[in-house]
Amino acid sequence: MDQGSLLAAGTLGATALAAGVHLAGRRRRARRDAAALAERIDRRQHLARSLHPVIDPDVCIGSLSCLDACPEGDILGIIDHAARLVHADHCIGHGRCAAECPVGAIRLVLGSAERGVDLPEVDEWFESSRRGVHVVGELGGMGLIRNAVAQGLQAAERLAETTPSGGEVVVVGAGPAGLATALGLTARGVPNRVLEQDTVGGSIAHYPRRKLTLTEPLDLPIAGRIGRRQISKEELLDAWQRAIGKARLRIASGVKVGGIEGRDGRFTVLTSAGPVEAAKVVLATGRRGTPRRLGAPGEELPKVVHGLREPEAFDGARVLVVGGGDAAVEAAIQLATGSTAQVALAYRGPELSRCRAANRARFEELVAARRVAAHLSAEVRAITAAAVLLERAGRAVELPNDAVVLALGGELPVQFLASVGVAMHRFHGEAPGELARPAPAAPHPGPHPGPRRALPRRARAERRILVLLRLLYAVAGLALLGWLAAKGADYYRLPRAARLASPLHPLLKPAGPWGHGVGIAATAVMLGNFLYAARKRVRRLRALGSIRGWLDFHVFVGFMSPLVIAFHAAFQSNNGLATGTAAALGGVVVTGIVGRFIYGVVPADGGKGAELEDLAADFARIRAWAAPQLDVAGASAHALLDRATAPVKAGSLAAVFLRMPVEALALRLRILGLRRHLADRAGYRELRDALLRLGRLRWQLRFYRSLKRLLRGWRVFHAALAVFLVLAIAAHIAVSLFLGYGLR
């Protein structure tokens, strides 16, 4: 065996070893995540409390770029070769996983089939059942600051289009959602004012001191960027105040809203300071104004407070914190570390499963140090002036007590919403804004979205940028190939023997200055393929564009690499190692193209996998429409319809996969024959599109699940070939240097 063959064998072995290690690691992770999910299910902790991701296993291709995206840590895991929400009890709805999915397999929803969530009914622009009244932020289920801000900005975008000229928008609530709405409206020149019954900042103003409130910065109109990766409550409030001053927002504090009268375009907002006229109203009140009640005797005593603001106010007191979420645990930590109080915490559950891991770990440290007393599986039965009565395991426990801090969260102000005409809906796994309503019978001022979800302006801009980039890739690729072809056209057309006598041979041969230069440039471009993998795994790179844009770049570079390498090789093969490297490159490109083709065959709708029943319903509906249209063309046209809709015959997936493009081409040719039977050109085009859609649906029904299973394995195969390619390139360069191929 020659040296080249030995080197190729060694490279192949190293590739197989790398693939084996990768698969073994993934299997270990899958077993661990499956066990964790089973444990969560046993403990009834597998249901998310708020906005959370749902991963469609039929769309997920197993790239797993979503796993490391969440700032909360390992929220997602691997189950059955696809991503899965494992630690749902710790998910707080960041949504970074959905943003990092390159194929749109993740959508963010509220509630689940097992546990519904009651929230105001809104459409895709957060307009409620009462026209002209929008609901954003925590009141609509968006408790996370970043998501609440995003909703406020989207609502402002819509209101800028629908608010009558000269009309004013009244925003109720000066929390993150309300302030973001006001900033968005001001940036678009829409008059607005903010009414706040308490103080600016909403629930943030009532957080414990120095509480960290953000895990990533916010980009706001007029105000610019707010925050860093971590920012305290005080820093965030100062930033909001600077934004208010810079935008000159009109904010009336201490004003309570009691009702809304009138109709869309001509509202009267009833407040404690008198009526306020408004063209539109945005409710961003949150839930802080309606704290959840304990339901125990003595809850109305002066020593009982909702939430903690100043720990030192409880110096020397015996304080009981009630609750098991992050707010309760953080309050106990603040009291134990920021005051001289004797601190205890009571929670009805057997463990603190609803709070973040970092808070739980710190709390357990304080319990171990006897600075906090933990009373788990405990119910508060009564509160007196000097004590609190708990019940644990059927036994009464009396705790001497001076103060009680209730950290039970807030409740939806159902009565207020009902009084202003906002209907409620129980969410069982729907996305926010997915309840788009049909247009009203009465004229609606300004454009109104249809039943399909409209894209926010930012999303539309990002989509346009992606389209322009794809066009730029195509133009740049064609220009580069044209330039390379023109440079050596006379040389590349010569037979191998004739090339040796050509004056261009010393320059354009693979070992020549031009050939080497092209090879080095092509190798550098080809290694750019791995930027996509780095973008998925390196947290600092995630701010540099969307993952889908990086995937487009990955596809472009992968497609161009073998074409440019062909110019380096001068379209010939001189040694086995170079041939093997070229074959590996071709294999990587072909597997990537085939993988993308497989994904394209499986149906998707706006990034969400279509359900099999919906697919079958589409199939039946289009067939029912097409049949009468073909009466004009006669029996042969109906035979064509039968052929286009006949079930795909059973067989191996590979055989069916090979038949598909052949039959698709045959269907197009038969459809072309219909043209002479149909005089109406527009009708022909409509019928042609329907038949082609039927043909595609026919294959999709056959491939719906099996193709996704193939793609998951195909991705690993593609990645293994990429590793082999890198090793083969390194070996090729090493051999070239050893043999003395230089730039002479």
Side-chain angles (χ1 to χ4, degrees):
M1 183 179 292
D2 59 19
Q3 290 183 345
S5 300
L6 285 173
L7 197 55
T11 302
L12 187 59
T15 303
L17 178 62
V21 170
H22 172 75
L23 290 173
R26 178 169 287 200
R27 281 195 293 268
R28 286 194 300 271
R29 171 72 186 263
R31 287 195 296 268
R32 186 189 75 190
D33 292 338
L37 181 59
E39 181 183 0
R40 287 289 184 276
I41 293 174
D42 288 341
R43 295 183 177 184
R44 301 294 298 170
Q45 297 171 357
H46 63 293
L47 301 177
R49 303 189 303 274
S50 62
L51 188 73
H52 63 280
V54 171
I55 300 96
D56 190 324
D58 293 313
V59 176
C60 176
I61 62 174
S63 72
L64 305 182
S65 57
C66 56
L67 263 60
D68 298 327
C70 184
E72 301 302 314
D74 285 342
I75 301 297
L76 300 180
I78 306 172
I79 306 290
D80 294 332
H81 309 288
R84 179 83 174 270
L85 180 60
V86 174
H87 300 280
D89 50 328
H90 296 160
C91 178
I92 59 176
H94 283 282
R96 293 302 308 165
C97 53
E100 288 300 308
C101 179
V103 294
I106 301 177
R107 65 188 186 116
L108 302 174
V109 302
L110 292 162
S112 65
E114 298 174 69
R115 183 170 66 192
V117 176
D118 292 321
L119 292 170
E121 179 183 329
V122 296
D123 67 8
E124 60 268 35
W125 295 106
F126 313 109
E127 187 174 12
S128 71
S129 56
R130 185 172 183 182
R131 292 297 185 190
V133 177
H134 293 247
V135 178
V136 296
E138 187 182 18
L139 187 63
M142 289 291 177
L144 197 66
I145 293 174
R146 186 177 62 81
N147 290 340
V149 166
Q151 274 198 350
L153 294 177
Q154 290 179 35
E157 179 182 327
R158 177 62 178 168
L159 288 166
E161 299 173 352
T162 59
T163 303
S165 178
E168 183 177 69
V169 177
V170 169
V171 180
V172 183
L179 292 175
T181 305
L183 287 170
L185 291 169
T186 302
R188 291 171 172 81
V190 180
N192 65 89
R193 72 171 68 186
V194 181
L195 308 178
E196 168 59 53
Q197 69 173 353
D198 195 353
T199 59
V200 170
S203 58
I204 299 172
H206 294 266
Y207 285 169
R209 284 190 307 178
R210 297 183 298 278
K211 172 181 168 64
L212 296 177
T213 57
L214 283 179
T215 55
E216 54 187 315
L218 300 173
D219 290 312
L220 296 170
I222 302 177
R225 173 159 288 204
I226 285 183
R228 304 179 300 277
R229 279 199 54 79
Q230 289 189 337
I231 182 172
S232 68
K233 157 198 168 178
E234 290 78 10
E235 292 173 311
L236 182 57
L237 289 176
D238 287 343
W240 280 121
Q241 289 292 352
R242 290 194 299 272
I244 291 168
K246 188 174 182 179
R248 298 181 180 179
L249 298 183
R250 293 188 298 159
I251 299 180
S253 299
V255 176
K256 183 177 178 62
V257 173
I260 302 173
E261 295 180 347
R263 57 183 176 83
D264 186 10
R266 299 183 63 181
F267 287 119
T268 299
V269 181
L270 306 178
T271 78
S272 57
V276 177
E277 302 301 319
K280 304 281 184 179
V281 178
V282 178
L283 299 179
T285 59
R287 303 188 182 195
R288 180 175 43 82
T290 312
R292 184 172 286 113
R293 297 183 59 81
L294 187 61
E299 187 175 2
E300 304 301 330
L301 290 174
K303 73 173 190 175
V304 179
V305 297
H306 291 273
L308 175 70
R309 296 185 68 177
E310 304 295 338
E312 64 272 13
F314 296 90
D315 280 342
R318 296 165 295 185
V319 183
L320 175 67
V321 179
V322 182
D326 281 308
V329 173
E330 289 169 358
I333 293 172
Q334 286 273 329
L335 286 165
T337 58
S339 74
T340 60
Q342 299 179 33
V343 186
L345 180 141
Y347 177 52
R348 62 185 179 182
E351 60 182 28
L352 298 173
S353 60
R354 294 175 52 228
C355 64
R356 302 185 189 185
N359 282 338
R360 184 166 55 251
R362 179 60 176 145
F363 179 82
E364 290 171 353
E365 289 176 4
L366 294 172
V367 171
R370 297 186 178 181
R371 297 174 66 182
V372 177
H375 300 277
L376 302 180
S377 299
E379 295 272 1
V380 177
R381 293 306 182 193
I383 301 173
T384 66
V388 174
L389 183 65
L390 302 179
E391 181 180 334
R392 295 183 63 183
R395 295 175 51 250
V397 178
E398 187 176 38
L399 298 180
N401 175 265
D402 301 309
V404 176
V405 177
L406 300 181
L408 306 175
E411 293 181 334
L412 205 65
V414 177
Q415 291 184 349
F416 170 75
L417 292 172
S419 70
V420 298
V422 174
M424 303 296 293
H425 175 79
R426 175 157 291 186
F427 285 78
H428 284 284
E430 296 99 341
E434 210 168 57
L435 307 176
R437 303 179 304 278
H444 184 269
H448 196 277
R452 295 184 65 82
R453 182 170 176 79
L455 289 173
R457 182 175 301 173
R458 181 174 179 179
R460 295 198 301 268
E462 289 178 352
R463 176 170 290 186
R464 285 195 295 268
I465 290 173
L466 286 178
V467 172
L468 290 175
L469 281 175
R470 289 167 184 169
L471 180 61
L472 179 62
Y473 290 150
V475 172
L478 291 173
L480 176 60
L481 294 176
W483 178 64
L484 290 173
K487 181 72 176 179
D490 295 336
Y491 176 74
Y492 299 138
R493 287 197 294 263
L494 295 174
R496 178 174 297 186
R499 289 185 180 187
L500 297 176
S502 172
L504 294 173
H505 182 65
L507 177 68
L508 298 180
K509 66 179 181 178
W514 177 263
H516 247 144
V518 172
I520 292 170
T523 301
V525 171
M526 182 175 52
L527 293 178
N529 259 310
F530 295 94
L531 290 175
Y532 171 66
R535 166 63 177 77
K536 291 196 300 182
R537 292 168 175 80
V538 179
R539 188 177 293 273
R540 291 184 179 181
L541 295 179
R542 289 178 185 154
L544 303 178
S546 71
I547 190 67
R548 297 191 185 189
W550 282 76
L551 181 58
D552 284 345
F553 174 76
H554 178 73
V555 171
F556 168 72
V557 171
F559 187 77
M560 288 295 297
S561 296
L563 300 178
V564 178
I565 286 289
F567 288 94
H568 158 65
F571 300 94
Q572 64 183 11
S573 176
N574 293 324
N575 62 76
L577 183 57
T579 302
T581 304
L585 176 59
V588 170
V589 174
V590 169
T591 54
I593 292 174
V594 171
R596 292 300 296 165
F597 175 68
I598 292 173
Y599 173 71
V601 170
V602 177
D605 179 16
K608 299 175 290 185
E611 294 294 336
L612 191 59
E613 308 85 64
D614 294 339
L615 199 60
D618 283 348
F619 186 88
R621 187 181 68 254
I622 296 173
R623 180 184 169 91
W625 176 87
Q629 313 301 319
L630 291 170
D631 290 340
V632 178
S636 60
H638 280 277
L640 173 60
L641 177 63
D642 293 337
R643 183 184 294 272
T645 59
V648 178
K649 295 180 180 179
S652 69
L653 186 60
V656 174
F657 186 69
L658 292 174
R659 282 171 40 210
M660 180 170 55
V662 176
E663 293 200 12
L665 178 60
L667 177 61
R668 284 184 175 273
L669 293 175
R670 294 188 186 98
I671 292 174
L672 192 61
L674 283 178
R675 191 166 185 173
R676 65 178 184 272
H677 298 290
L678 300 172
D680 183 2
R681 294 175 63 88
Y684 165 75
R685 286 194 296 268
E686 190 173 8
L687 186 59
R688 176 198 62 195
D689 293 341
L691 289 173
L692 290 176
R693 173 68 174 147
L694 277 172
R696 185 173 178 82
L697 286 171
R698 169 178 175 249
W699 289 101
Q700 287 175 346
L701 288 168
R702 169 65 177 83
F703 281 128
Y704 184 73
R705 299 193 187 281
S706 53
L707 273 182
K708 281 307 162 189
R709 290 193 293 270
L710 172 63
L711 185 54
R712 290 169 194 149
W714 197 272
R715 194 193 68 83
V716 176
F717 180 51
H718 175 66
L721 276 178
V723 173
F724 173 74
L725 173 61
V726 172
L727 297 175
I729 290 173
H732 177 59
I733 294 172
V735 169
S736 298
L737 294 175
F738 177 74
L739 295 178
Y741 290 154
L743 297 178
R744 60 182 184 277

